[in-house]
Amino acid sequence: MKSTALYNLIFRPLQWIRKIRGFNLVYTPLLAIVLFTSVMGIILGTLHLQEKNQQEAALFRELSFAKQRIQMRFANNLESLTAINREIAASADDAKLKQLVQDQADDLAINNHEVVKVIWLSEKNQRIWTIPPNNKTDWFSKTQNDQAANEGLISAIELSRVTSRAAFSPFITLNLPSEEPLAKERRTVFWQVVPNIAGGEVIGFLAVLYTAQGVLDVIPGELKAHYRFTLLTDKDRVLGISSDRDVPKRAFSNQTSLDIGVLSPNMTLRIDTYPPPTNLTFRMLIGVVLGLSAFVIWSLWSVLKQMQVRQEAEANLRTETNFRNAMEDSTPVGIRAHDMDKRITYVNRAFCEMSGWSAQELIGLKPPFPFWPDGRRDELLEKMNRALQLSVSANANKGIEGAILRRDGSLIQTRTFIAPLIDEKGKQTGWVTSLIDISEPKKIREELAAAQERFTTVLEGLDAAVSVVSLETDELLFANRFYRENFGNDSKGHFQLAHQENNIKTLHNIAEDLQDSPPGIPASFLYQESESEEVQLSDGSNKWYEVRRRFIPWVDGHLAQLLIATDITIRKEADDIARQQEERMQFTSRLTTMGEMASSLAHELNQPLSAISNYCMGVAKRLEGNIDPALTKDILPALEKASAQAHRAGTIIQRIRGFVKRSEPQRKLTAISDIINDAVGLVEIEAHRHRLTIASELAENLPEVDIDPVLILQVLVNLLKNGLDSTREAYPLSSRWSAPPVKISADLDTSIFPAMLRIQVSDGGAGIAESVSQRMFEPFFSTKSDGMGMGLNICRSIIESHHGRLWATNTMDAEHTKLAGCTFTIQIPLESPETTGNV
């Protein structure tokens, strides 16, 4: 493939340039050298640019991940502080609870490296307790740190008091002695104050002291091993750095703003790359490409030196060839050359006109040849073998009689003379034959009669009904065996297949008008062939036929209608079965995508699906010109269906992707019975595999509902599968013959106003435990070892997007002593609120 692309890129333009008058072929290799050098430079530049783009994309992805980790850590800390505030508000008179609160604060400081101090202050800014105690944080009071820290704390408290929200203080630079063990990590700190509000009033504040260097410790170590992270202020002041290791001058760098809270200080996270390892493979590839380029340029330069010698030889050969072609084309005798294997190596124009075949179609053929009559191929092959073994004088004096069947069906009687072909070394390399036409009128008429008989034989052997009916008398003029066996010996079946049982009078009028017109039937009328029609007989046989018809002049000069009908009943049945299977399998994909993961997956799947559709359509286009009817009948429909299914799969993915992005469902009026039948058909195969059954109970005359059929089908398939899993776990394989079927029903719930569509899925499993029922609709909660915990959550989201409800209830046995299954109930409005509002 690469060689073909390179040839099309370099040498195709050269072939076009050679056709320009006056272009000197000597400069062709020079132009090829320039083009090749340019192309290789573009390729190498593209590879370098692609590698750079990949590195920048990877850098942005890692920066986004680090930012997400930091934001998540601050969000978790805020949740923990809020929980501690609630415990403080509840522990006003309970000493044990107060101790528990301090233990929680201590755990927060121990488990989070960025947190160095937690303080609980009263509503009047009085410190109640400190974690860890002041004796463990004496470094904080050294030099003038206490004053700066208190000023930052007071500013954060006042901001939190005014806004009643968590607030951050400005960054505080501490002056710590160099002998302090953690002086570098605690150089820059800042406060976060969370107000404790009870009954609408602030009862105190919970303050946390963060270190800027500790914020960088939230980033995973494997990232910091490959990149250097720097924490900056909005004025580019360095707050913390993950490593003192220098980065190269041409290193890739990117930065993003950290939004860790509503009233947080402006912080920027920057990422820099370290020097990458030497890419030996890429350099070796460049070396190989450069070496091959030099070899190609040298080869083209050698070709340039040989062009002048070749031009002179080609000019002499062209002159001799033109002379020989002119001489051969001027004679009416057909000339044909064979090699020692009797393969045709050359034919002149007279022989092509004589046989009706082009030179490209004939060269390379071996006997028996397609221009030989079918019934005489063995005879002509024996004559040819015997003639090739005879002497040259015998062939020249006598010749052999033969025949050529033209491509249009006519037969030519010929006499053939054969001579050996000797090369310059005196060695025979083949034979040369010359043919002359010796046909006579009598032989032509006899051969035409034989051709007519063969044609009739072919029609009799067809597995299709062929009939000809006179438009004047409605008489059946011709019918082949297939027609007679299936429709009898009259013209009734002809008009039934043509759907013209009620239009016979109109056909008679057409025939009368043509008789009153000038002699002869207009050619434009005769060649108006109808398109292929698929007709189903109404005689109770339920047979299907593909029908083609046209008007023809009969042998007596009167107008007739030709009809060809092919039995396609088996194909239609196969198409119906395939369509049913396709409808059952359309919506079997499981809705497990979520958030950004769903969008990324849909984007990645669209590309191979588009490639599959394009490849299928490309193959179909290549096969359209194939004359083999089997390919046209079997392979082309399969390719078109494959392309349509690839396009449909892309549509379903885009639909689910739109739902995950919180877009409105694509509603349309749909019969809920069709969706339930499709869902049962999709899940029934899995049920039979586990020896279980599914029963559906649908109320009559259910109205159509304005819903998204794709999403509702996903919900029903998921609920049916859950019911099968529950029943399969409750009944072992040996006793599943007694297991109750999984039931799905649909009716109208008239107990509420307005009435709603109710769908229920019931199983005979062990029911749902109370602990599970409270969390079963939560995301990421699952009782299955291989489950993702998103199925029921997505189902409820889909139903709620249709303004409906989804819940589950346990079913008790007859004695009301134990659980005997579970029932999921869906309620969907008969009309969407948007439609009701418009009315």
Side-chain angles (χ1 to χ4, degrees):
M1 295 295 294
K2 294 183 179 179
S3 301
T4 303
L6 186 60
Y7 176 85
N8 293 332
L9 183 62
I10 297 179
F11 295 100
R12 284 290 185 187
L14 298 179
Q15 294 179 357
W16 299 337
I17 295 175
R18 287 179 179 177
K19 296 179 181 179
I20 301 175
R21 187 176 181 180
F23 183 80
N24 193 346
L25 295 179
V26 177
Y27 298 100
T28 301
L30 291 177
L31 182 59
I33 292 174
V34 174
L35 290 176
F36 182 84
T37 304
S38 302
V39 169
M40 296 309 299
I42 293 173
I43 292 175
L44 292 177
T46 303
L47 290 176
H48 178 71
L49 181 61
Q50 182 179 6
E51 182 183 11
K52 179 180 177 182
N53 293 336
Q54 291 177 354
Q55 292 180 356
E56 291 178 350
L59 187 67
F60 177 78
R61 183 170 60 252
E62 301 297 350
L63 178 61
S64 300
F65 175 75
K67 175 182 176 181
Q68 183 181 7
R69 289 291 298 267
I70 294 175
Q71 290 177 336
M72 185 178 298
R73 176 61 66 84
F74 275 92
N76 293 337
N77 290 347
L78 181 59
E79 291 179 0
S80 300
L81 295 174
T82 304
I84 293 174
N85 272 338
R86 288 197 298 266
E87 296 292 340
I88 292 175
S91 63
D93 299 324
D94 194 336
K96 292 184 178 180
L97 289 179
K98 290 181 180 180
Q99 184 60 36
L100 180 61
V101 168
Q102 295 183 9
D103 293 341
Q104 292 179 353
D106 193 19
D107 291 341
L108 178 65
I110 293 174
N111 296 329
N112 295 275
H113 188 261
E114 69 277 10
V115 176
V116 297
K117 195 169 188 178
V118 180
I119 301 176
W120 164 246
L121 301 97
S122 66
E123 67 277 9
K124 297 181 180 181
N125 299 347
Q126 297 178 353
R127 299 188 182 187
I128 307 302
W129 47 260
T130 301
I131 299 296
N134 289 328
N135 56 358
K136 294 184 180 181
T137 58
D138 54 353
W139 58 270
F140 190 78
S141 303
K142 294 179 180 180
T143 65
Q144 300 177 355
N145 296 330
D146 198 8
Q147 180 180 358
N150 289 333
E151 291 176 357
L153 177 59
I154 292 173
S155 64
I157 291 174
E158 294 301 323
L159 182 59
S160 176
R161 189 191 305 275
V162 173
T163 59
S164 298
R165 304 174 70 173
F168 289 83
S169 70
F171 296 106
I172 305 169
T173 302
L174 303 180
N175 296 320
L176 298 177
S178 58
E179 63 273 9
E180 181 66 27
L182 300 178
K184 181 180 179 181
E185 294 184 4
R186 298 170 178 174
R187 184 72 63 184
T188 303
V189 296
F190 60 96
W191 291 96
Q192 181 184 18
V193 177
V194 180
N196 193 341
I197 301 175
E201 296 181 359
V202 177
I203 64 173
F205 301 92
L206 191 62
V208 179
L209 183 65
Y210 288 97
T211 64
Q213 188 66 31
V215 173
L216 294 178
D217 292 340
V218 178
I219 302 173
E222 56 270 23
L223 285 183
K224 293 191 290 186
H226 294 85
Y227 305 94
R228 187 179 73 178
F229 292 87
T230 307
L231 197 63
L232 306 170
T233 64
D234 53 352
K235 297 182 180 181
D236 292 337
R237 182 167 68 90
V238 177
L239 300 177
I241 188 168
S242 62
S243 175
D244 294 332
R245 181 181 173 186
D246 294 330
V247 296
K249 295 181 179 180
R250 296 185 179 181
F252 293 99
S253 179
N254 202 342
Q255 63 184 24
T256 183
S257 177
L258 286 178
D259 299 324
I260 58 175
V262 179
L263 302 176
S264 63
N266 295 327
M267 286 192 295
T268 300
L269 181 64
R270 187 175 69 189
I271 184 173
D272 300 285
T273 60
Y274 290 127
T278 302
N279 193 343
L280 184 59
T281 303
F282 181 76
R283 293 187 178 181
M284 291 179 62
L285 178 61
I286 293 178
V288 171
V289 171
L290 293 177
L292 292 177
S293 302
F295 177 78
V296 171
I297 294 174
W298 175 81
S299 300
L300 293 174
W301 184 262
S302 300
V303 172
L304 177 64
K305 295 299 182 180
Q306 298 176 7
M307 285 298 295
Q308 294 180 347
V309 178
R310 288 190 56 186
Q311 285 180 353
E312 182 178 358
E314 289 175 357
N316 296 333
L317 181 60
R318 193 178 301 109
T319 301
E320 183 180 353
T321 302
N322 292 338
F323 176 79
R324 187 191 68 175
N325 292 338
M327 183 175 61
E328 291 175 353
D329 292 338
S330 63
T331 178
V333 178
I335 300 176
R336 190 176 73 227
H338 299 264
D339 59 11
M340 296 303 294
D341 294 330
K342 304 174 187 178
R343 185 181 291 105
I344 297 177
T345 59
Y346 171 79
V347 290
N348 69 339
R349 185 175 63 183
F351 183 85
C352 294
E353 294 175 353
M354 186 181 299
S355 63
W357 296 73
S358 65
Q360 291 79 5
E361 295 173 329
L362 291 172
I363 293 177
L365 296 179
K366 296 178 66 175
F369 300 114
F371 50 80
W372 284 354
D374 295 337
R376 301 184 59 185
R377 288 191 175 184
D378 295 338
E379 173 192 352
L380 295 176
L381 179 60
E382 182 180 359
K383 285 186 177 182
M384 180 178 180
N385 293 333
R386 186 169 58 252
L388 294 179
Q389 295 175 0
L390 296 177
S391 62
V392 177
S393 59
N395 290 333
N397 294 332
K398 184 178 180 182
I400 57 174
E401 291 186 1
I404 291 180
L405 181 63
R406 293 176 55 86
R407 202 164 191 173
D408 58 0
S410 61
L411 193 64
I412 299 176
Q413 297 295 332
T414 62
R415 184 176 296 276
T416 304
F417 299 89
I418 302 178
L421 181 62
I422 309 299
D423 62 3
E424 71 279 2
K425 297 181 180 180
K427 182 180 179 181
Q428 181 179 356
T429 59
W431 294 269
V432 175
T433 63
S434 58
L435 295 85
I436 58 176
D437 187 3
I438 60 172
S439 301
E440 298 176 358
K442 183 178 180 180
K443 290 185 178 181
I444 294 177
R445 288 193 297 270
E446 292 175 354
E447 292 299 331
L448 287 176
Q452 178 66 24
E453 182 179 356
R454 288 194 297 271
F455 180 72
T456 304
T457 303
V458 172
L459 292 180
E460 290 292 330
L462 288 177
D463 290 332
V466 181
S467 59
V468 181
V469 172
S470 173
L471 296 186
E472 297 180 359
T473 63
D474 299 339
E475 178 186 1
L476 184 63
L477 302 177
F478 174 81
N480 68 341
R481 174 190 56 80
F482 190 92
Y483 180 93
R484 295 192 300 271
E485 292 176 354
N486 291 272
F487 303 100
N489 296 320
D490 55 14
S491 61
K492 182 179 179 181
H494 177 100
F495 290 108
Q496 185 180 10
L497 290 171
H499 276 181
Q500 293 175 339
E501 298 172 295
N502 301 324
N503 299 329
I504 297 178
K505 185 177 180 180
T506 303
L507 297 177
H508 291 173
N509 295 335
I510 294 175
E512 292 176 1
D513 293 339
L514 290 176
Q515 283 185 347
D516 297 337
S517 62
I521 301 175
S524 60
F525 180 79
L526 292 178
Y527 294 101
Q528 292 179 356
E529 183 176 354
S530 67
E531 296 182 355
S532 175
E533 297 183 54
E534 293 183 355
V535 178
Q536 185 181 20
L537 297 183
S538 58
D539 55 0
S541 61
N542 294 327
K543 285 191 174 183
W544 284 85
Y545 290 89
E546 185 180 32
V547 179
R548 287 183 176 272
R549 62 183 185 274
R550 63 179 299 178
F551 297 101
I552 61 172
W554 195 239
V555 293
D556 56 359
H558 292 88
L559 184 64
Q561 187 182 51
L562 169 66
L563 183 142
I564 302 175
T566 305
D567 190 354
I568 59 172
T569 304
I570 298 178
R571 191 184 76 186
K572 292 292 291 185
E573 293 176 353
D575 291 342
D576 291 339
I577 295 175
R579 191 178 301 109
Q580 294 174 5
Q581 294 295 335
E582 182 181 2
E583 291 174 355
R584 292 175 182 175
M585 298 177 66
Q586 282 178 351
F587 304 108
T588 58
S589 60
R590 183 181 178 188
L591 187 61
T592 58
T593 55
M594 59 196 115
E596 294 295 331
M597 185 185 297
S599 299
S600 176
L601 180 60
H603 174 73
E604 294 297 331
L605 285 181
N606 276 332
Q607 296 180 358
L609 286 175
S610 300
I612 291 172
S613 178
N614 293 335
Y615 285 146
C616 289
M617 294 305 297
V619 174
K621 291 295 184 181
R622 293 288 299 273
L623 291 177
E624 283 180 356
N626 198 305
I627 61 175
D628 189 356
L631 293 176
T632 305
K633 179 179 179 182
D634 299 329
I635 296 180
L636 284 179
L639 289 174
E640 292 172 356
K641 289 180 180 179
S643 177
Q645 289 307 309
H647 178 72
R648 184 175 183 85
T651 303
I652 293 175
I653 290 174
Q654 291 297 329
R655 188 80 58 83
I656 297 176
R657 179 185 181 187
F659 171 74
V660 174
K661 288 185 175 181
R662 299 298 182 185
S663 61
E664 290 296 326
Q666 299 183 10
R667 300 174 181 267
K668 63 180 181 180
L669 288 176
T670 308
I672 193 63
S673 58
D674 295 340
I675 298 179
I676 292 177
N677 291 334
D678 290 342
V680 172
L682 291 173
V683 184
E684 205 166 29
I685 298 176
E686 183 177 356
H688 291 166
R689 184 166 59 87
H690 295 292
R691 300 182 182 179
L692 299 174
T693 58
I694 300 176
S696 58
E697 298 177 0
L698 306 180
E700 297 181 356
N701 300 325
L702 288 176
E704 293 185 343
V705 189
D706 188 21
I707 58 176
D708 189 330
V710 175
L711 299 180
I712 297 300
L713 179 62
Q714 296 296 328
V715 174
L716 297 183
V717 168
N718 197 358
L719 295 181
L720 286 173
K721 285 185 176 181
N722 287 345
L724 289 174
D725 293 340
S726 179
T727 306
R728 182 163 53 88
E729 292 175 0
Y731 290 85
L733 184 62
S734 59
S735 62
R736 285 183 187 168
W737 59 270
S738 62
V742 176
K743 296 181 180 180
I744 180 170
S745 63
D747 58 1
L748 292 180
D749 188 358
T750 57
S751 62
I752 58 177
F753 182 83
M756 301 180 72
L757 175 66
R758 178 172 58 190
I759 305 172
Q760 292 183 322
V761 179
S762 303
D763 60 71
I768 303 176
E770 182 179 358
S771 59
V772 176
S773 62
Q774 297 176 356
R775 300 186 57 195
M776 59 190 303
F777 291 102
E778 293 181 5
F780 306 107
F781 177 80
S782 175
T783 59
K784 301 177 182 178
S785 59
D786 57 345
M788 293 185 62
M790 291 299 297
L792 292 177
N793 178 265
I794 293 177
C795 289
R796 171 173 280 186
S797 299
I798 292 174
I799 298 302
E800 290 177 352
S801 68
H802 287 76
H803 306 283
R805 295 178 58 211
L806 169 63
W807 72 91
T809 57
N810 286 323
T811 305
M812 305 298 293
D813 60 357
E815 292 79 15
H816 294 278
T817 58
K818 64 178 181 178
L819 297 179
C822 174
T823 299
F824 283 85
T825 303
I826 300 174
Q827 285 185 344
I828 300 177
L830 298 178
E831 294 183 359
S832 63
E834 294 82 1
T835 304
T836 306
N838 293 334
V839 176

